[in-house]
Amino acid sequence: SLHDALPIFHARVHGLAARIRAGEYRIEPLDTPRTLLDRWVAGRVLRRSITIPEGWTFARIRAALAALPYVEQTLTGLDDAAIMQRLGEPGLHPEGRFFPDTYLYVRGTRDLDLLRQMRRALDRQLATAWARRAADTPLRTPDEALVLASIVEKETGLPAERRQVAGVYARRLALGMPLQADPTVLYGRSEDASGELTRTELRADGPYNTYTRKGLPPTPIAAPGAAALAAAVDPEPGDALYFVARGDGGHVFSATLEDHQRAVRQYRAQRAARGDRE
């Protein structure tokens, strides 16, 4: 119709046809040819999103990227070391180095470019947190803060507890006590292992067993969010050196081994009353 042809005529007369940008566009029910033309010239392409939750491992991030529609997959078949080399950081362990957040992308974006966005975001967040670290922190480097933040992220999902958990671990580090963090042992267990940790696993030495080895594990164990990073560098003051789950998602914090053992007995009694298995 004459009405539909007007935007095309307008585009040719005013030289807009050559300015139409290629890409994927959303067409709305009430769009007219003129509004579509304006959108094409402005390059308002359809943006999709991917959300990486806090606490995800690099393996889960890779799987999520591989499943994204309309993303150019360039990393298929590459191991983690090769991916880090592609990112220009050969030799860097990838765990915990990609910031959990929501990222926008357009059709044809490469998976490597999305990883590069996540990588840069992590560096920015870590630098911000490190600049705000407490004066008495036992952490010596930003990398150590990243490792501790990843443990805090996996230990509790309660915002009110993050600084308390970080405080326990900071005091243990300062005193030379083993961290005894179950999430690190879980991270280091064999791929075919499942279920809760066993006493045998807790006694089996390895780089991620913070029961048998003092100090922080060699790498992060997951992707920490901004809140976990902030807690790791500025933990809550106090004297607690122990904590145990209390059955409702929270934890009981104790300053002495005697109090901690009492809290553990209470927790086990609650589980037994519910019929839970050890």
Side-chain angles (χ1 to χ4, degrees):
S1 68
L2 177 62
H3 177 267
D4 291 342
L6 284 176
I8 299 174
F9 177 77
H10 177 80
R12 289 175 177 170
V13 168
H14 294 279
L16 297 179
R19 292 168 53 190
I20 293 176
R21 303 183 188 183
E24 184 181 21
Y25 294 87
R26 186 188 302 277
I27 299 178
E28 304 291 350
L30 298 180
D31 277 339
T32 65
R34 180 62 180 271
T35 59
L36 281 174
L37 177 62
D38 291 343
R39 190 175 304 142
W40 296 340
V41 171
R44 294 193 293 271
V45 296
L46 176 62
R47 293 186 177 273
R48 303 174 183 273
S49 67
I50 176 175
T51 298
I52 304 299
E54 291 88 349
W56 269 21
T57 62
F58 185 59
R60 293 191 70 179
I61 294 174
R62 284 197 62 176
L65 285 177
L68 281 182
Y70 311 115
V71 164
E72 183 182 348
Q73 302 292 337
T74 66
L75 305 176
T76 305
L78 296 183
D79 62 16
D80 291 354
I83 290 177
M84 297 310 294
Q85 189 164 9
R86 290 263 183 109
L87 288 170
E89 297 182 278
L92 181 66
H93 196 287
E95 200 66 83
R97 299 285 175 175
F98 299 87
F99 188 66
D101 202 350
T102 295
Y103 297 89
L104 300 178
Y105 67 95
V106 298
R107 187 180 188 127
T109 296
R110 296 188 307 165
D111 48 6
L112 187 68
D113 293 330
L114 278 169
L115 277 181
R116 187 170 282 114
Q117 285 186 56
M118 299 175 193
R119 182 76 192 90
R120 290 171 178 167
L122 186 280
D123 279 348
R124 290 194 300 269
Q125 292 286 341
L126 181 56
T128 297
W130 186 246
R132 298 171 179 170
R133 65 191 182 278
D136 60 349
T137 177
L139 303 171
R140 296 167 296 182
T141 65
D143 276 5
E144 288 190 353
L146 182 62
V147 174
L148 180 55
S150 73
I151 300 173
V152 172
E153 189 69 71
K154 298 300 289 185
E155 280 286 17
T156 181
L158 298 182
E161 283 193 350
R162 288 194 183 101
R163 293 185 69 225
Q164 286 180 280
V165 169
V168 168
Y169 288 135
R171 284 184 285 277
R172 282 179 166 261
L173 285 172
L175 293 170
M177 296 176 64
L179 296 186
Q180 297 183 327
D182 288 2
T184 68
V185 186
L186 286 167
Y187 180 80
R189 76 194 321 190
S190 61
E191 292 184 3
D192 58 349
S194 61
E196 295 187 4
L197 285 171
T198 65
R199 289 185 176 87
T200 299
E201 285 180 302
L202 293 176
R203 288 194 294 262
D205 185 42
Y208 290 92
N209 190 335
T210 50
Y211 283 80
T212 61
R213 300 192 184 191
K214 295 179 180 180
L216 293 163
T219 73
I221 60 172
L229 286 167
V233 299
D234 187 22
E236 185 171 309
D239 55 4
L241 291 171
Y242 308 88
F243 62 89
V244 65
R246 63 172 183 244
D248 61 356
H251 296 82
V252 176
F253 294 82
S254 304
T256 67
L257 181 58
E258 181 182 4
D259 287 344
H260 174 63
Q261 290 173 335
R262 184 181 301 111
V264 169
R265 288 194 296 270
Q266 291 175 348
Y267 171 63
R268 288 176 175 168
Q270 291 171 357
R271 293 192 58 176
R274 294 196 305 265
D276 293 348
R277 295 172 58 189
E278 280 289 342

